[in-house]
Amino acid sequence: MALGACYSGASSVGESDGEEDSGSGGELPPPPPEDASLVAPSGLRRLTVAEYNDTLRDLLGDSSQPAVALFAEDPRTPFDNDYTIQSASQALIEGADLLGSDAADDLLADPERKAAVLGCAPTGPDDETCFRQFIKTFGRRALRRPLTAAEVDRYAEFLEFGVQDNQMDTAVATTIRALLQEPEFLYRVEIGRPVPESPGVFKLTDWEVASKLSYFLWGSTPDDWLLDLAEAGALSTPLEVRQAAERMLEDPRAIDRIDRFHALWMGYEQIPHAPQLANAMRTETRALVQRVVFDEDRPWQDMLRLDETFVDDALAQHYGIPAPGSPTPTWTSYGESGRRGLLSHGSFLSIGAKFDDTSPVQRGLLIRTRLFCQVIPPPPPDAGVDIDEPINPDPDLVCKADRYAVHSEGACAGCHDMLDPVGFGLENYDMQGRYREVEDGMPECTIDGQGEIVGVGTFSGPAELGALMIDSGLLNACVVRQLYRFTVGRSTLDEADERMIVKVLESLGQGDFQFRALLLQVVSDDGFGYRRDEETN
Amino acid sequence: MAIQTIPRRSFLHGLGGVAVGLPALEIMAPTQANAPGAEIPCRYVVAYGGTSVGTGDAASPTGSGDMLVPETEGPSYEVTHSLRPLMDFDVRDEVSVVTNLTVPWGDGNSSPPGGWPGGSGFHGQTQAPQLTGARYSPQYEAFGESSDVVVARALAEDTPHEVLRYLVQPSSYGDGNGTILTWRDAGGTFEEVAPIVSPRLAYESLFAGFVPPDSDPEAYAAAQRLLLRRRSVVDLVKGSADRLMTRLGSADRQRMQQHLDELRALETRLEGLDAPTDGACGQLAPPGEDPPIGGPIVVEEGYVTTAGYSNEDLRAQVMADLIHMAFTCDLSRVATFQMTYWFSYMNMFPIAGWESDMHELSHGAGPLESVSDSVAWHVKHFARLTGKLRDTVEVDGSSLLDHTALVLLFEGGHGYDPDTQTSDSPHSTVNMSALIAGRAGGLKPGQHVRTAELHPANVLISAMHAVGVQQDLGEVTGRIDALFA
């Protein structure tokens, strides 16, 4: 069966009222995927706090990030969107209601935003034409699909509230409040249409593809342009999806999204420094993402290799690199400072701290587990993981390197030789990203800054570490894996996921690759447009 | 003329929308004879503090210690540093201190019944054993239901809020550490249930539909219209969820079912509640906007900032007030009151003047007194709630506290740490302590009970028995008889 030729790509939605039957009548069944074994399971995915906030920003022009105060924080695993650990609660339902109410009130208090959302000027509180038009237009945006006639009628009944209050605002507020509580608003629902040849496999509707694309690349709701593509049936083939994605990557929201992906991935989303410093560091890192991934479409590896960074005089001074002579951030050469790329950023270097100093073990663990995706077994029962230094019976050992040497003894060495030398190679850089020759508060302890990735090579400092990591051949597989987990919203991956990762990696290769190309490859894989029902207990 | 007795619940559902100006509690005076079964219900609270109760290290170089455990046992125990707030709120005699509790640990790889592995870290592993009585496993997190779920099944009846779940600390302050006190059975696994983190939301949720009957007629009518609109919204959303269910696969149906159940519960709550004006039950003044949420803790700049703090002191007060009023109005009978995240990074400077966060203090960033202040802060809010319940008079002249059992648990004790095999660590589940307040079911508070290394869940079981739930919890069995008369 030819793809695209005989498939109508109809946007079959709103079977919710039983008024339209999917798969019956004149609609052709969807074509099977190229490789059903690559099709991953998917389930209901509730919007994360961040996605909810950005969705409200795009739907209503509300930039106040209200969900932070009213919803519980999403656990970081390390991403914030693992749907397998989400569950409904009174807190969620009540929170969604109050958020909806607040959002509606805020909108109506702002004439400009209100006019933009309402889209028509009502002639009076009983202007049903205007009200219905608003319901259809805004409803399509909110639910990410067109409302059925029955749904529009149900919402149109709210007009009565406006008439009672002698102002349409009341009807509009009630409508917004309801739409922001609809399950198809709060959750990304993927059902799709069953593929006859592959039981349990479904082809996503164009509307579902639109949502999947926009939450992946923008972390927010599809805009009218993307919804129109779905309406026209123009998100049915891999080529069409790729074209849409290319255009979406031109949108600044994509930069924020990929920046967020990196921050969650590595763990610098919340930087434990004073706001001014923390913000400067986030700006620095976001600029690197923008330049490498978007503006100059460089190899992703330049994230670790770039010899410039985006800092102002204050931050440059903080790092101890030559100041650019600018009070606002600008691209500044690292020169011979021994720094290159993200591993030199204060954001990255703030991770893996223990108490008020760096922990070579934690930094090593970060690189091994998050950047190489290696599994390090938990320490044995008699290891002291939560104290600030290794068990040390010798009080004469003062300097860190000496104290940590005990890790290389006996059973400890197996794991610690993988971790400590990585971290020690960065010890010249404190948790604020500053260079230091000696340990904090202990001038007699000179830091030699020599490190090693056992099995790969030796290095000293972030520039050499970045180069070594690239040479190790361990990065690409991990980047793909982490991006995949972020895309599907699951930390634990199954066979279909693994096969897809292998496929993507084969095409990516082991050398330099463009992150944009990786993103496009993920979305334009034939499997992206399909889903599988989950196995139930 | 005999006062007509009305079951408490029918009053709260609104007597045909008519404003009732009589003192609420007087007309709801079910005597044993007139209204069999209309007894005063029991209430149950589980509170939690994300700190160990003591420490060693630099704070106590001669060995780990705490400033909590009283020297004397039995009644009239002396009030120690950490227990000082019990005196401030004059509730020493309403609260028992249970000490020398232990959560068992394993060989590092697996947990014993009701225990933790004891070899792959500490933080995050003592919650499930304490709150569910079942062992912790990294794979499954929890193997049992938490006691609030168990107790609510017996106690909640048709109260509008089956369990109030409140979390005071609204942010992890940078590390995404855990917040959960509740696990419920999700058919084969146990899933976490999120708490409410916003005092404002907690308020709105509790008093949803309340209409002060003595407000002017226009305001009353407007409030009724708003309630009607809310009901229409929930009805519409519920309809959408119902229809969506028919299209979902079985795994998603399970998820949506939970969502639908919560929508139905909300719908029930919005049936309309006329708030009484007299008596102890009444709508509280709105708490206003939530205090802003602080950013991640800033280690090197010192703690003399708002980082790592979201005015938890005020949040705790608001939430405790809501629990108290919910109990008074019989809007709920069960509450979880989590004051801090486990492994809490909450800034202790605004609270007690220590330039550090709660977790660092337990690792020697301050003297033992500082850790004791962390403990005392939780005891303060626990004591305050206990006092309010004690000062609320029931229909028969008893106090609300006479029908309540409250437990305060802490993340850890101090002493032996199976990770390091050292004896002065806060990462320890020996030397644990818990508080239990109230006089429900024969509880005899005001005692220091030093146990023979019982499990903190035994304290919960005692509270459960006190409120009429004669069960054990998870893999832990038995109440602590010494806590009862």
Side-chain angles (χ1 to χ4, degrees):
Chain A
M1 178 188 273
L3 286 173
C6 52
Y7 175 50
S8 68
S11 47
S12 56
V13 296
E15 290 95 351
S16 42
D17 298 308
E19 296 164 349
E20 297 151 50
D21 229 31
S22 73
S24 77
E27 207 175 78
L28 294 163
E34 277 169 15
D35 184 348
S37 77
L38 293 179
V39 174
S42 82
L44 284 180
R45 299 173 64 169
R46 193 180 76 230
L47 300 186
T48 64
V49 170
E51 287 167 350
Y52 185 101
N53 286 332
D54 287 352
T55 300
L56 240 55
R57 175 202 63 203
D58 292 341
L59 278 182
L60 298 170
D62 181 342
S63 297
S64 65
Q65 303 195 323
V68 176
L70 291 179
F71 281 153
E73 205 175 284
D74 296 308
R76 304 292 192 258
T77 64
F79 303 113
D80 59 350
N81 63 355
D82 189 336
Y83 71 84
T84 63
I85 58 174
Q86 293 173 341
S87 65
S89 59
Q90 178 177 356
L92 172 71
I93 266 68
E94 302 257 23
D97 180 53
L98 188 56
L99 279 164
S101 168
D102 286 351
D105 289 347
D106 278 354
L107 178 84
L108 293 170
D110 183 332
E112 229 178 86
R113 284 166 52 205
K114 171 179 154 184
V117 170
L118 193 47
C120 52
T123 56
D126 56 355
D127 183 349
E128 185 159 351
T129 312
C130 176
F131 189 53
R132 278 180 172 268
Q133 185 189 323
F134 155 69
I135 291 169
K136 282 182 206 150
T137 310
F138 185 73
R140 186 181 88 141
R141 290 176 189 145
L143 299 191
R144 306 185 284 271
R145 60 160 175 84
L147 270 55
T148 63
E151 284 173 328
V152 174
D153 286 344
R154 272 191 285 274
Y155 275 98
E157 285 174 28
F158 287 162
L159 188 66
E160 185 54 32
F161 293 132
V163 169
Q164 279 172 17
D165 266 10
N166 202 34
Q167 51 167 18
M168 184 173 284
D169 276 7
T170 306
V172 172
T174 310
T175 301
I176 292 174
R177 188 172 188 168
L179 282 167
L180 295 190
Q181 292 179 71
E182 288 266 11
E184 286 176 78
F185 170 75
L186 286 172
Y187 295 88
R188 294 161 50 191
V189 180
E190 288 182 356
I191 300 172
R193 298 164 59 225
V195 174
E197 294 97 324
S198 313
V201 174
F202 299 78
K203 188 174 198 303
L204 299 180
T205 67
D206 285 29
W207 300 99
E208 290 166 343
V209 171
S211 282
K212 192 172 178 179
L213 274 173
S214 77
Y215 279 101
F216 175 41
L217 297 177
W218 288 342
S220 184
T221 193
D223 59 7
D224 284 351
W225 159 77
L226 191 54
L227 291 172
D228 289 344
L229 282 182
E231 179 125 38
L235 290 173
S236 312
T237 68
L239 182 59
E240 286 171 335
V241 170
R242 185 193 175 92
Q243 283 166 346
E246 277 167 353
R247 170 142 162 197
M248 291 171 78
L249 289 174
E250 307 292 309
D251 189 302
R253 283 174 291 181
I255 306 172
D256 290 326
R257 186 64 170 167
I258 302 308
D259 178 39
R260 183 174 180 78
F261 162 70
H262 282 82
L264 288 168
W265 172 18
M266 298 191 198
Y268 57 78
E269 188 206 353
Q270 301 256 32
I271 300 178
H273 300 320
Q276 203 172 357
L277 184 61
N279 289 340
M281 290 174 174
R282 289 295 271 116
T283 300
E284 179 189 18
T285 303
R286 185 184 182 286
L288 179 64
V289 170
Q290 178 170 351
R291 182 171 172 186
V292 168
V293 175
F294 292 90
D295 293 352
E296 296 180 5
D297 204 14
R298 289 165 165 268
W300 179 82
Q301 281 79 353
D302 279 2
M303 289 285 296
L304 305 183
R305 286 192 296 232
L306 201 70
D307 57 0
E308 291 185 338
T309 193
F310 194 67
V311 294
D312 59 12
D313 286 342
L315 191 53
Q317 203 170 0
H318 171 85
Y319 286 143
I321 63 177
S326 166
T328 55
T330 185
W331 286 103
T332 309
S333 170
Y334 272 134
E336 300 307 309
S337 63
R339 295 180 190 249
R340 291 285 184 274
L342 174 62
L343 303 181
S344 317
H345 286 196
S347 53
F348 180 83
L349 292 167
S350 73
I351 316 165
K354 214 164 193 188
F355 311 100
D356 55 0
D357 191 11
T358 57
S359 163
V361 175
Q362 293 298 321
R363 277 179 168 173
L365 195 63
L366 164 68
I367 286 164
R368 287 283 185 187
T369 57
R370 298 236 183 144
L371 285 159
F372 287 164
C373 292
Q374 290 174 328
V375 176
I376 308 288
D382 54 353
V385 285
D386 286 302
I387 58 174
D388 63 346
E389 49 193 61
I391 316 163
N392 175 33
D394 186 341
D396 293 332
L397 296 180
V398 168
C399 302
K400 228 184 212 173
D402 299 326
R403 294 201 312 268
Y404 276 68
V406 67
H407 286 171
S408 290
E409 293 165 16
C412 303
C415 293
H416 274 278
D417 282 355
M418 290 184 66
L419 306 176
D420 297 26
V422 179
F424 271 103
L426 289 175
E427 266 299 283
N428 283 120
Y429 297 82
D430 70 11
M431 63 176 285
Q432 284 195 322
R434 292 177 295 212
Y435 183 81
R436 59 185 175 186
E437 298 273 5
V438 299
E439 290 185 29
D440 293 348
M442 279 185 290
E444 72 275 24
C445 298
T446 311
I447 299 171
D448 78 2
Q450 297 303 314
E452 183 181 3
I453 304 180
V454 170
V456 179
T458 59
F459 71 94
S460 178
E464 292 183 10
L465 175 58
L468 197 61
M469 286 170 69
I470 292 166
D471 286 344
S472 71
L474 295 169
L475 270 179
N476 289 15
C478 190
V479 177
V480 171
R481 178 173 218 85
Q482 299 285 25
L483 180 66
Y484 188 87
R485 291 164 80 201
F486 186 61
T487 313
V488 297
R490 274 180 287 110
S491 291
T492 314
L493 303 178
D494 73 359
E495 284 174 11
D497 300 318
E498 298 289 351
R499 278 192 213 105
M500 178 65 93
I501 290 171
V502 165
K503 182 181 176 188
V504 170
L505 199 54
E506 264 166 22
S507 138
L508 210 65
Q510 287 301 328
D512 280 9
F513 67 89
Q514 259 76 353
F515 201 82
R516 269 184 97 257
L518 171 58
L519 292 170
L520 289 171
Q521 198 188 336
V522 167
V523 304
S524 58
D525 190 283
D526 174 72
F528 186 84
Y530 290 84
R531 65 173 284 269
R532 182 182 292 280
D533 253 352
E534 293 161 287
E535 305 287 319
T536 46
N537 295 335
Chain B
M1 178 172 176
I3 293 174
Q4 183 187 7
T5 60
I6 303 169
R8 178 188 294 261
R9 297 291 305 128
S10 68
F11 177 85
L12 291 172
H13 276 298
L15 302 169
V18 173
V20 181
L22 293 170
L25 297 176
E26 267 182 41
I27 67 165
M28 297 187 294
T31 62
Q32 295 301 93
N34 289 350
E39 300 159 1
I40 296 167
C42 288
R43 283 73 146 207
Y44 182 83
V45 178
V46 179
Y48 180 85
T51 178
S52 290
V53 299
T55 189
D57 300 332
S60 181
T62 55
S64 76
D66 60 59
M67 293 164 107
L68 188 160
V69 179
E71 283 294 320
T72 55
E73 292 177 45
S76 305
Y77 55 86
E78 95 275 10
V79 167
T80 54
H81 184 104
S82 292
L83 300 178
R84 175 81 223 180
L86 298 180
M87 294 301 281
D88 297 337
F89 288 96
D90 192 27
V91 293
R92 198 274 307 265
D93 294 332
E94 318 295 340
V95 179
S96 284
V97 184
V98 189
T99 62
N100 200 35
L101 298 163
T102 301
V103 175
W105 57 88
D107 58 0
N109 296 312
S110 62
S111 306
W116 59 298
S120 54
F122 167 78
H123 292 294
Q125 302 190 7
T126 66
Q127 283 64 45
Q130 289 197 70
L131 295 160
T132 70
R135 73 192 72 181
Y136 167 85
S137 149
Q139 238 187 325
Y140 300 112
E141 295 285 341
F143 275 126
E145 292 184 306
S146 49
S147 70
D148 55 303
V149 172
V150 176
V151 169
R153 262 202 295 275
L155 253 52
E157 292 183 309
D158 58 350
T159 52
H161 298 264
E162 205 187 348
V163 181
L164 296 178
R165 297 198 168 94
Y166 293 161
L167 169 60
V168 172
Q169 180 184 336
S171 163
S172 64
Y173 302 126
D175 57 16
N177 284 335
T179 60
I180 302 303
L181 290 200
T182 293
W183 286 272
R184 69 180 164 215
D185 193 334
T189 56
F190 294 92
E191 64 179 9
E192 301 174 348
V193 183
I196 290 179
V197 306
S198 155
R200 182 176 157 245
L201 175 61
Y203 177 90
E204 295 292 332
S205 166
L206 194 63
F207 295 115
F210 258 49
V211 179
D214 68 346
S215 50
D216 68 79
E218 256 194 55
Y220 189 87
Q224 292 285 47
R225 282 202 303 275
L226 177 58
L227 190 58
L228 215 64
R229 283 206 298 276
R230 284 198 71 186
R231 285 203 209 123
S232 301
V233 165
V234 176
D235 186 59
L236 184 149
V237 171
K238 212 168 54 85
S240 297
D242 276 328
R243 282 184 294 275
L244 178 61
M245 282 284 277
T246 64
R247 300 165 52 213
L248 295 174
S250 51
D252 279 346
R253 267 206 305 278
Q254 242 181 307
R255 296 185 176 105
M256 188 49 51
Q257 185 61 54
Q258 190 61 53
H259 194 102
L260 201 46
D261 289 346
E262 294 294 348
L263 282 172
R264 290 196 181 115
L266 175 59
E267 188 178 45
T268 306
R269 288 194 289 275
L270 292 177
E271 274 168 16
L273 305 164
D274 281 336
T277 49
D278 296 314
C281 170
Q283 181 163 5
L284 296 172
E289 288 299 313
D290 290 335
I293 296 180
I297 209 74
V298 176
V299 174
E300 68 283 346
E301 298 291 323
Y303 285 73
V304 189
T305 65
T306 53
Y309 191 64
S310 314
N311 205 348
E312 277 83 342
D313 202 53
L314 178 62
R315 288 171 178 263
Q317 285 180 56
V318 173
M319 287 175 160
D321 287 350
L322 290 171
I323 292 173
H324 164 253
M325 192 50 74
F327 285 1
T328 303
C329 298
D330 208 27
L331 294 169
S332 180
R333 297 174 187 164
V334 182
T336 64
F337 186 37
Q338 180 172 6
M339 291 182 247
T340 39
Y341 278 48
W342 50 260
F343 195 178
S344 176
Y345 282 4
M346 187 175 73
N347 188 347
M348 280 300 291
F349 184 76
I351 290 189
W354 298 105
E355 291 181 32
S356 186
D357 63 75
M358 192 169 279
H359 175 252
E360 286 302 288
L361 286 178
S362 73
H363 285 285
L368 187 57
E369 188 192 342
S370 66
V371 178
S372 308
D373 282 347
S374 299
V375 176
W377 181 78
H378 298 89
V379 173
K380 173 176 93 170
H381 289 286
F382 184 77
R384 185 174 167 278
L385 174 59
T386 299
K388 288 177 77 89
L389 295 170
R390 190 263 319 274
D391 296 338
T392 304
V393 181
E394 282 280 16
V395 292
D396 63 354
S398 63
S399 83
L400 209 161
L401 189 62
D402 290 336
H403 308 274
T404 306
L406 308 93
V407 176
L408 173 60
L409 299 171
F410 290 96
E411 183 179 8
H414 59 89
Y416 184 71
D417 176 3
D419 270 346
T420 63
Q421 295 176 355
T422 56
S423 298
D424 61 353
S425 174
H427 288 182
S428 176
T429 55
V430 294
N431 291 312
M432 298 180 81
S433 295
L435 302 189
I436 176 167
R439 298 175 183 275
L443 274 175
K444 189 168 159 232
Q447 303 187 69
H448 170 208
V449 175
R450 193 189 311 268
T451 72
E453 293 185 346
L454 290 180
H455 193 291
N458 288 116
V459 183
L460 285 180
I461 292 168
S462 305
M464 288 165 63
H465 284 215
V467 298
V469 181
Q470 306 296 335
Q471 280 176 243
D472 293 317
L473 186 66
E475 295 167 315
V476 179
T477 59
R479 71 175 206 178
I480 302 173
D481 285 336
L483 291 172
F484 293 83

